[in-house]
Amino acid sequence: MTRGVLVGRRPAPGEVADAYDAVVIGSGAGGLTTAVCLARQGRRVAVFEQHYTAGGYTHAYRRRGWEWDVGIHYVGQLAPREPVRVLSDYLTGGALRWAPLGDPYDEYRLAGEVHRAPVGFDAHRAGLIARFPAERAGIEALFRLIARCRAVLPALALGRLSGPVARRLARLLRAAAVPPEALRPAREVVAGLVRDERLRQAVLTPSVLLLADSSSRLPFFLLAVLFEHFRTGAWYPVGGSAAIARALAEPVRAAGGEVFVRTPVARITLDGTRATGVVLADGTRVRAPVVVSAAGAHHTYRTLLPRPSGAAPEPDPLEGLRNGYPFVLLFLGLDGDPAELGLPRHNLMVTDGDCDAFFDAGAGKGVLDGGTGPAPGGGPAGSGAPTSGLFLSFSCAKDPTWTARHPGRSTGEILAFVDPELFAPFRGSRWRDRDPEYLALKAALTERLLDRLYRELPRTRGRVAYHELGTPLTAEHFAGWPGGSLYGLAKDVAAFGDGHGPGLADRLRPRTAHDGLYLSGQDVLAGGFMGAVTGGLLAAHEALDRRGRARLWTGLLASATGRSRGTSDLA
């Protein structure tokens, strides 16, 4: 029998207990990771999610018989003993299975020029050299630098932890293994190594479209992290994205906890500087010595925490930090199976040849203008309205169980980032009760995205039976991110610092200034699935006592060495 995509359940009246060992606010990958790590050390955890299903940006949903994943398009580092595999097997006991996407795992179409991302550093380097032989020396220097940046994220993660030992180790690792180029803007570093602009675009485009910012603001080490993350390929969860939250919910329940949905948290309660629990939107008070917010730093500090009552205001940990870029996401339902429609297992990234143009411009209503016809805001093509580029993904072609579950049908998504001001006039309106101008804007954006779909994948023309467009207001409504950002706060050079001093995001550690209150998820360290689960792991480490930490890391070591239950890939 096919398992549903809805994860978690709404509590019955009076079911929520008045006390737990820990409360987690938000059920994204970060929050569930923290919850499972605590549960595996014997803690009874309540996870409270305001949406009707758990999973955050890993959740799936159905409409009129169609099924979509909203945020998981692929995940790397899932080869045996790689970090994400180790953590996945530890958290789920091997119950969560992953299917490899194959080779290549990405395709970039840059002004019509096609590049493919092969599996392996050697193959990637050799492919670029074959295409740009005059740039051999620069390409080889680039990949040497990428390899030298492998320790940057672990060093930054250690630096987010409290305690003198972690801080000392972070300083040592940073001094020994973080090259000065790592924290400089990616565009600047790449431009210093290669001269050919087409090659620069081929190198920079994935990080710009996957991390949602200009390469003039993204630190180079994040580009290197993406190369490393997909060095051995990419994988997709067997059974679809909902399998992630479903597998993570089981250990929470096994320890006596629960994942509650449709249960928004109104505020975090404090006794002086100590967190003591939460108050739910219906007024229910829940006590807990550990409160973990995986609802984003902005929502935590600006909404959930009570305003300080003292004369002197507390320092604002969010001061100077930017919100990440919002996005639109077109969900497609197609008649025909993936093979018949020629839908690829790998992802497609499409730009007009300048991946940074949209993010550098910073404004313009015609953010999806592909170079033909009027922009949705009314201006002619090319009139200061650059595209963010498009990301096309077809989960139906990636999941080996799809055809059996949905014969004769396919689904996919097209994502593009948009000007934060494009939907500002409609902010404050209610879901399913929007202004007619909002609906007209959605229709114009949808038409442009469909036109690009038909150009890139001609066999889909005439086969789109259903579509709906999610906007930044949709994301804000369901996920709670202010402005509808995909990755929460921007992960730019200002956030990480220049290597000589702390970055602005250094203030957002998993251990907060309030005893018993911890941050989890993407805002703790980095964006995306890997960043979220890493933030979840760091929050669990900080929330546990010394014995619990020892058990946590012993369990992860057992998973890494194969002494715990694991699972093999599906071909």
Side-chain angles (χ1 to χ4, degrees):
M1 183 174 66
T2 301
R3 305 183 73 176
V5 297
L6 299 184
V7 180
R9 61 182 181 83
R10 190 171 192 168
E15 180 185 2
V16 175
D18 66 349
Y20 292 88
D21 296 324
V23 162
V24 175
I25 306 167
S27 68
L32 288 177
T33 294
T34 304
V36 174
C37 288
L38 297 178
R40 289 206 176 280
Q41 316 322 316
R43 274 53 168 185
R44 182 171 175 242
V45 184
V47 180
F48 294 119
E49 168 59 51
Q50 62 92 25
H51 194 17
Y52 61 71
T53 185
Y57 278 131
T58 72
H59 86 266
Y61 81 102
R62 288 178 182 160
R63 187 96 75 226
R64 301 182 185 180
W66 307 96
E67 178 182 320
W68 297 275
D69 293 350
V70 300
I72 289 292
H73 303 115
Y74 56 173
V75 178
Q77 292 186 311
L78 277 157
R81 301 187 181 181
E82 284 196 305
V84 181
R85 168 69 70 179
V86 170
L87 190 55
S88 172
D89 286 351
Y90 171 75
L91 293 173
T92 71
L96 181 58
R97 298 180 298 155
W98 299 87
L101 265 60
D103 193 354
Y105 58 87
D106 268 338
E107 181 176 314
Y108 325 129
R109 299 181 180 181
L110 317 180
E113 187 173 359
V114 177
H115 298 259
R116 293 183 176 88
V119 174
F121 273 11
D122 290 344
H124 210 144
R125 181 174 55 240
L128 289 176
I129 291 173
R131 196 157 196 161
F132 303 95
E135 295 279 6
R136 171 187 283 271
I139 293 169
E140 290 178 343
L142 173 67
F143 277 85
R144 286 195 298 270
L145 181 56
I146 288 171
R148 289 173 58 206
C149 288
R150 288 176 176 172
V152 176
L153 204 59
L156 292 173
L158 272 173
R160 292 285 199 268
L161 296 178
S162 62
V165 175
R167 297 288 181 86
R168 190 175 301 115
L169 286 174
R171 285 195 298 269
L172 290 173
L173 185 58
R174 196 160 179 163
V178 177
E181 298 94 336
L183 296 171
R184 285 165 48 196
R187 183 196 298 176
E188 175 186 318
V189 174
V190 172
L193 295 173
V194 299
R195 298 181 301 276
D196 192 302
E197 181 59 26
R198 290 163 51 243
L199 173 57
R200 292 177 187 173
Q201 290 295 326
V203 170
L204 293 171
T205 292
S207 59
V208 169
L209 289 186
L210 290 174
L211 301 175
D213 212 339
S214 168
S215 63
S216 67
R217 290 187 291 268
L218 290 170
F220 176 80
F221 86 86
L222 285 180
L223 179 150
V225 164
L226 285 178
F227 270 88
E228 175 66 18
H229 188 62
F230 295 114
R231 178 172 55 88
T232 58
W235 286 258
Y236 183 81
V238 175
S241 185
I244 297 174
R246 191 162 52 237
L248 292 174
E250 290 306 314
V252 176
R253 296 191 181 107
E258 185 55 271
V259 178
F260 294 114
V261 299
R262 299 183 186 271
T263 315
V265 171
R267 68 180 187 275
I268 297 167
T269 57
L270 300 176
D271 182 2
T273 61
R274 171 172 286 280
T276 58
V278 300
V279 177
L280 304 181
D282 66 1
T284 301
R285 289 182 173 269
V286 182
R287 293 176 292 116
V290 170
V291 177
V292 180
S293 178
H298 191 283
H299 188 55
T300 302
Y301 285 104
R302 300 285 168 82
T303 305
L304 296 177
L305 278 170
R307 298 289 183 181
S309 56
E314 297 180 4
D316 182 1
L318 303 180
E319 184 179 358
L321 289 166
R322 299 164 46 230
N323 277 333
Y325 268 86
F327 63 100
V328 292
L329 187 58
L330 182 63
F331 298 98
L332 304 164
L334 302 101
D335 285 331
D337 61 39
E340 176 189 357
L341 299 174
L343 303 179
R345 297 179 73 188
H346 58 261
N347 303 297
L348 298 180
M349 301 184 202
V350 183
T351 76
D352 61 4
D354 186 348
C355 59
D356 284 326
F358 162 75
F359 298 103
D360 287 340
K365 301 300 184 190
V367 294
L368 294 180
D369 185 55
T372 59
S383 60
T387 178
S388 69
L390 305 179
F391 182 95
L392 296 87
S393 175
F394 299 92
S395 55
C396 59
K398 302 172 185 178
D399 179 8
T401 73
W402 174 271
T403 301
R405 293 191 294 123
H406 302 284
R409 286 191 164 198
S410 297
T411 58
E413 303 85 40
I414 307 176
L415 182 147
F417 297 99
V418 297
D419 178 356
E421 297 305 312
L422 186 60
F423 287 89
F426 313 109
R427 191 156 290 126
S429 60
R430 296 174 61 85
W431 182 53
R432 291 183 172 173
D433 188 24
R434 308 287 195 193
D435 191 284
E437 292 185 15
Y438 170 84
L439 301 179
L441 175 58
K442 285 182 61 174
L445 294 171
T446 296
E447 182 180 354
R448 292 190 167 275
L449 292 172
L450 287 173
D451 178 68
R452 198 56 184 261
L453 169 72
Y454 301 146
R455 278 190 280 163
E456 302 299 331
L457 297 169
R459 286 159 67 180
T460 62
R461 188 179 294 274
R463 308 301 290 273
V464 176
Y466 181 80
H467 57 73
E468 62 180 57
L469 186 77
T471 75
L473 302 189
T474 316
E476 190 168 3
H477 174 81
F478 286 112
W481 294 100
S485 167
L486 184 60
Y487 298 125
L489 296 170
K491 310 301 187 285
D492 57 15
V493 289
F496 287 105
D498 59 4
H500 301 293
L504 297 176
D506 197 56
R507 302 187 295 253
L508 298 177
R509 300 173 180 274
R511 182 183 292 273
T512 73
H514 299 278
D515 294 337
L517 175 62
Y518 306 90
L519 286 181
S520 177
Q522 297 185 102
D523 285 340
V524 170
L525 184 64
F529 180 80
M530 182 184 69
V533 297
T534 302
L537 178 61
L538 295 178
H541 170 94
E542 293 286 66
L544 289 166
D545 57 20
R546 184 176 299 179
R547 183 178 179 187
R549 291 175 183 175
R551 292 179 59 185
L552 170 63
W553 293 104
T554 299
L556 285 166
L557 180 62
S559 181
T561 56
R563 294 198 299 271
S564 64
R565 181 185 170 194
T567 185
S568 59
D569 295 332
L570 297 185

